[in-house]
Amino acid sequence: MRWEAQEPKAAGSQDALLALQGVVRSVKTPEFAGITFHEVIAKSALNKVGKTSGMPFGWTINPYRGCSHACVYCFARKTHTYLDLDSGLDFDSQLVVKTNVAEVLRRELARPSWQREHVAMGTNTDPYQRAEGRYRLMPDIIKALAASGTPFSILTKGTLLARDIPLLKSAGQDTEIGMGISLALLDPDLAHRVEPGTPAPKARLELISRLREAGLPCSVMAMPILPWLTDGDESLDTLFSALSAAGATGVTAGALHLRPGAREWFLAWIARDYPHLSGKYARLYGGGTYASKEYRQWLAGRVQYFKKKHGFTSRAEFLPSRSAAANRPEQPTRVTGAAQTAPALSGPALSQPAVQTLF
């Protein structure tokens, strides 16, 4: 797991995370130019989600903090300020790697108190960002969850997920799983501007098809829809058509929301790359997190129209409701890749983001 031929720096160096306990070493490598990996020994793997959060799951696992996808809109950016790092470039380039996360997880899942509640991954930073190709944390996480009969879901932009398709198929024989791909725009130039570290949209469409061909469910999180950039009828029509052709089992879509940390970074990007939109965004968001209610209602209507046009008439989502988890039988239920059903996370009354920042 460790990289032997790189440039390690002592945990007490200026590159180490001063606010994070358990730092073993910090690593730089030419393969990841401009990125520093801070390897830590984690004390816990499972993170409890508060019941008042509104999330349809009770637990998360985040093997990484920070994300090289570098999405300018990422809602999780502010979490880096808790490490005495900034929510801009540091979030993209100073990445925390929990090298022992699977070992800790196995211990936690073995506790008599563990009730096999649903565990969500990818709700904060992406578990299949580029670093996963070297650290390979996810296979052991998946194995541990499956062996314990714990249902789980994965949301990702990372095509590295394809590496683990055989493992996921096997896990689906032991517990319920949900797969979600994050893809909200298809224009390759715009994608490179707004989410420069992610695989191209075409590659993610191909990943959706591969998951479906393997018999796995695959919903799509088409968020965020960007006002004046990806919310036009042509953009939405093209997106939902492509998702349908790829075989997606469901789609959740909604407007961009701008939390503190993400808001400043995104609006600076808009001012630099699309200066003619700066004033429009300022008026639409009014200095807050959410677009105006009128805009969200309008967008929800357009989304529903194009979902229906392209055959997304069911309410299949990859995240189960908490009530469904609470009613799960004591023994894990075997599945064969059918999509799970949960309350829709978008609609005319949308007032909360579909995914919140979780720790």
Side-chain angles (χ1 to χ4, degrees):
M1 183 178 293
R2 300 294 179 80
W3 304 354
E4 299 303 332
Q6 312 307 334
E7 298 180 25
K9 293 184 178 295
S13 75
Q14 62 180 359
D15 289 317
L17 300 176
L18 300 180
L20 190 69
Q21 295 183 351
V23 178
V24 175
R25 70 171 185 171
S26 298
V27 178
K28 293 182 178 180
T29 170
E31 184 181 354
F32 294 86
I35 295 178
T36 301
F37 297 97
H38 303 281
E39 298 176 350
V40 304
I41 300 299
K43 293 183 178 180
S44 63
L46 289 165
N47 310 298
K48 180 68 174 176
V49 180
K51 292 184 178 180
T52 60
S53 71
M55 291 297 95
F57 46 81
W59 298 87
T60 66
I61 298 172
N62 298 304
Y64 303 96
R65 296 185 69 171
C67 187
S68 61
H69 285 339
C71 302
V72 296
Y73 53 75
C74 184
F75 56 82
R77 287 185 172 276
K78 191 177 180 181
T79 63
H80 247 42
T81 64
Y82 308 148
L83 305 176
D84 288 342
L85 295 168
D86 68 57
S87 59
L89 289 176
D90 282 350
F91 181 82
D92 303 337
S93 63
Q94 302 291 321
L95 308 183
V96 178
V97 184
K98 302 175 184 178
T99 56
N100 66 328
V101 64
E103 176 185 350
V104 175
L105 176 62
R106 285 191 291 269
R107 292 201 299 266
E108 293 175 337
L109 296 174
R111 293 171 180 169
S113 60
W114 177 243
Q115 298 298 306
R116 297 196 303 275
E117 297 178 56
H118 185 95
V119 175
M121 292 171 279
T123 61
N124 188 12
T125 56
D126 201 314
Y128 283 100
Q129 58 181 286
R130 285 182 60 213
E132 172 61 17
R134 295 298 299 267
Y135 282 97
R136 300 182 64 87
L137 301 180
M138 287 298 292
D140 285 343
I141 291 174
I142 293 169
K143 290 175 184 177
L145 291 168
S148 69
T150 298
F152 64 89
S153 59
I154 299 172
L155 175 63
T156 183
K157 291 184 175 76
T159 51
L160 275 167
L161 174 68
R163 178 198 67 195
D164 293 341
I165 286 178
L167 186 59
L168 290 164
K169 287 184 64 176
S170 176
Q173 301 303 311
D174 297 318
T175 190
E176 295 173 311
I177 66 173
M179 305 305 304
I181 302 301
S182 179
L183 179 59
L185 59 94
L186 297 182
D187 183 288
D189 178 66
L190 180 57
H192 181 70
R193 289 170 178 262
V194 76
E195 41 191 40
T198 63
K202 181 180 179 181
R204 278 177 272 169
L205 285 172
E206 292 171 352
L207 176 59
I208 294 168
S209 295
R210 290 187 63 179
L211 287 166
R212 297 299 293 127
E213 289 167 2
L216 292 166
C218 185
S219 288
V220 171
M221 187 71 75
M223 298 182 72
I225 303 298
L226 304 175
W228 297 289
L229 292 175
T230 63
D231 62 351
D233 281 359
E234 182 178 356
S235 294
L236 294 174
D237 192 23
T238 302
L239 174 63
F240 285 101
S241 175
L243 297 179
S244 178
T249 52
V251 183
T252 297
L256 169 76
H257 64 275
L258 295 173
R259 289 170 173 262
R263 180 171 62 239
E264 296 82 359
W265 193 248
F266 178 85
L267 293 179
W269 173 80
I270 281 288
R272 182 177 66 251
D273 282 37
Y274 298 93
H276 64 287
L277 295 180
S278 287
K280 291 184 177 182
Y281 269 89
R283 291 188 292 273
L284 184 63
Y285 285 85
T289 297
Y290 306 109
S292 69
K293 181 178 180 181
E294 293 75 16
Y295 176 83
R296 288 183 278 117
Q297 289 178 332
W298 169 82
L299 179 61
R302 301 315 295 154
V303 165
Q304 288 303 115
Y305 171 81
F306 287 110
K307 285 178 68 172
K308 183 176 180 180
K309 177 181 178 181
H310 293 290
F312 294 108
T313 56
S314 72
R315 298 171 68 86
E317 307 291 346
F318 80 102
L319 294 176
S321 65
R322 287 201 186 197
S323 60
N327 294 326
R328 182 176 293 109
E330 290 188 5
Q331 295 301 319
T333 302
R334 294 178 180 269
V335 299
T336 58
Q340 300 178 53
T341 301
L345 298 179
S346 63
L350 178 66
S351 60
Q352 298 292 328
V355 181
Q356 296 183 358
T357 301
L358 303 166
F359 307 97

Coordinates of all heavy atoms in Angstrom, one line a residue, residues 4 7 9 33-34 100 107 117 124 126 142 167 173 177 198 221 282 287 302 308 318:
E4 N 7.2 3.1 -2.0 CA 8.5 3.1 -1.5 C 9.5 4.0 -2.3 O 10.5 4.5 -1.7 CB 9.0 1.6 -1.6 CG 8.2 0.7 -0.7 CD 8.2 1.1 0.7 OE1 9.1 1.7 1.2 OE2 7.2 0.7 1.4
E7 N 8.9 10.5 -2.5 CA 9.6 11.4 -1.6 C 8.8 11.6 -0.3 O 8.0 12.5 -0.2 CB 9.6 12.8 -2.3 CG 10.4 12.8 -3.6 CD 10.4 14.2 -4.3 OE1 10.2 15.2 -3.5 OE2 10.6 14.3 -5.5
K9 N 8.0 12.7 3.4 CA 8.4 13.8 4.3 C 7.9 13.5 5.7 O 6.8 12.9 5.9 CB 7.7 15.1 3.8 CG 8.3 15.6 2.5 CD 7.7 16.9 2.1 CE 8.3 17.4 0.8 NZ 9.7 17.7 0.9
A33 N 1.5 14.9 -10.0 CA 2.2 16.2 -9.9 C 1.3 17.2 -9.2 O 0.1 17.4 -9.5 CB 2.6 16.7 -11.3
G34 N 1.9 17.9 -8.2 CA 1.2 19.0 -7.5 C 0.3 18.5 -6.4 O -0.3 19.3 -5.7
N100 N -5.3 2.4 6.9 CA -5.8 1.3 7.6 C -7.3 1.2 7.7 O -7.8 0.4 8.6 CB -5.2 1.3 9.1 CG -5.7 2.4 9.9 OD1 -6.0 3.5 9.4 ND2 -5.8 2.2 11.2
R107 N -13.1 -4.5 12.3 CA -13.3 -4.6 13.8 C -14.6 -4.0 14.2 O -15.4 -4.5 15.0 CB -12.2 -3.8 14.5 CG -10.8 -4.5 14.4 CD -9.9 -4.0 15.5 NE -9.7 -2.6 15.5 CZ -8.7 -2.0 14.9 NH1 -7.8 -2.7 14.2 NH2 -8.5 -0.7 14.9
E117 N -26.8 -1.6 9.4 CA -27.5 -0.5 8.7 C -26.8 -0.2 7.4 O -25.6 -0.5 7.3 CB -27.6 0.7 9.6 CG -28.3 0.5 10.9 CD -28.3 1.7 11.8 OE1 -28.7 2.8 11.3 OE2 -27.9 1.6 13.0
N124 N -19.1 12.3 0.5 CA -18.3 13.5 0.9 C -17.2 13.7 -0.2 O -17.4 14.5 -1.1 CB -17.6 13.3 2.3 CG -16.9 14.5 2.7 OD1 -17.1 15.6 2.2 ND2 -16.2 14.4 3.8
D126 N -14.7 11.5 -3.2 CA -14.9 10.3 -4.1 C -14.0 9.2 -3.7 O -12.7 9.3 -3.7 CB -14.6 10.7 -5.5 CG -15.2 9.7 -6.5 OD1 -15.1 8.5 -6.3 OD2 -15.9 10.2 -7.5
I142 N -15.1 -3.2 0.5 CA -16.2 -3.9 -0.1 C -16.3 -5.4 0.5 O -17.4 -5.8 0.9 CB -16.1 -4.0 -1.6 CG1 -16.3 -2.6 -2.2 CG2 -17.1 -4.9 -2.2 CD1 -15.9 -2.5 -3.6
L167 N -15.9 -8.0 -8.0 CA -16.0 -8.0 -6.6 C -17.4 -7.5 -6.2 O -18.0 -8.1 -5.3 CB -14.9 -7.1 -6.0 CG -14.8 -7.1 -4.4 CD1 -14.6 -8.5 -3.9 CD2 -13.7 -6.2 -4.0
Q173 N -24.3 -10.9 -4.0 CA -24.9 -12.1 -3.7 C -25.1 -12.3 -2.2 O -25.8 -13.2 -1.7 CB -24.1 -13.3 -4.2 CG -23.9 -13.3 -5.7 CD -25.2 -13.3 -6.5 OE1 -26.1 -14.1 -6.2 NE2 -25.4 -12.4 -7.4
I177 N -26.8 -3.9 -2.5 CA -25.9 -2.9 -2.9 C -26.5 -1.9 -3.8 O -27.5 -2.3 -4.5 CB -24.6 -3.4 -3.5 CG1 -24.9 -4.1 -4.9 CG2 -23.9 -4.4 -2.6 CD1 -23.6 -4.5 -5.6
T198 N -11.7 14.8 -13.3 CA -12.6 13.6 -13.4 C -12.4 13.0 -14.7 O -11.9 13.6 -15.7 CB -14.0 14.1 -13.3 OG1 -14.4 15.0 -14.3 CG2 -14.3 14.8 -11.9
M221 N -26.5 10.3 -10.5 CA -26.7 11.6 -9.7 C -26.4 12.7 -10.7 O -25.2 13.0 -10.9 CB -25.9 11.7 -8.5 CG -26.1 12.9 -7.6 SD -27.7 12.8 -6.8 CE -27.3 11.5 -5.5
A282 N -25.1 36.1 -8.8 CA -25.2 36.8 -7.5 C -26.7 37.1 -7.3 O -27.1 37.0 -6.1 CB -24.5 38.1 -7.7
G287 N -26.5 35.6 -2.3 CA -25.5 35.4 -1.2 C -25.7 34.2 -0.4 O -25.0 34.0 0.6
R302 N -38.6 21.0 -15.6 CA -37.9 20.6 -16.9 C -37.3 19.2 -16.7 O -37.3 18.4 -17.6 CB -36.8 21.7 -17.2 CG -37.3 23.1 -17.4 CD -38.6 23.1 -18.3 NE -38.3 22.7 -19.7 CZ -39.2 22.1 -20.5 NH1 -40.5 22.0 -20.0 NH2 -38.9 21.7 -21.7
K308 N -39.3 11.8 -18.1 CA -40.4 11.1 -18.6 C -40.2 10.8 -20.1 O -40.5 9.7 -20.6 CB -41.7 11.9 -18.4 CG -43.0 11.1 -18.9 CD -44.2 11.9 -18.5 CE -45.5 11.2 -19.0 NZ -46.7 11.9 -18.7
F318 N -30.5 4.9 -6.0 CA -29.5 3.9 -5.4 C -29.4 4.1 -3.9 O -28.7 3.2 -3.3 CB -28.2 4.2 -6.1 CG -27.4 5.3 -5.5 CD1 -26.3 5.1 -4.7 CD2 -27.7 6.6 -5.9 CE1 -25.6 6.2 -4.2 CE2 -26.9 7.7 -5.4 CZ -25.9 7.5 -4.6

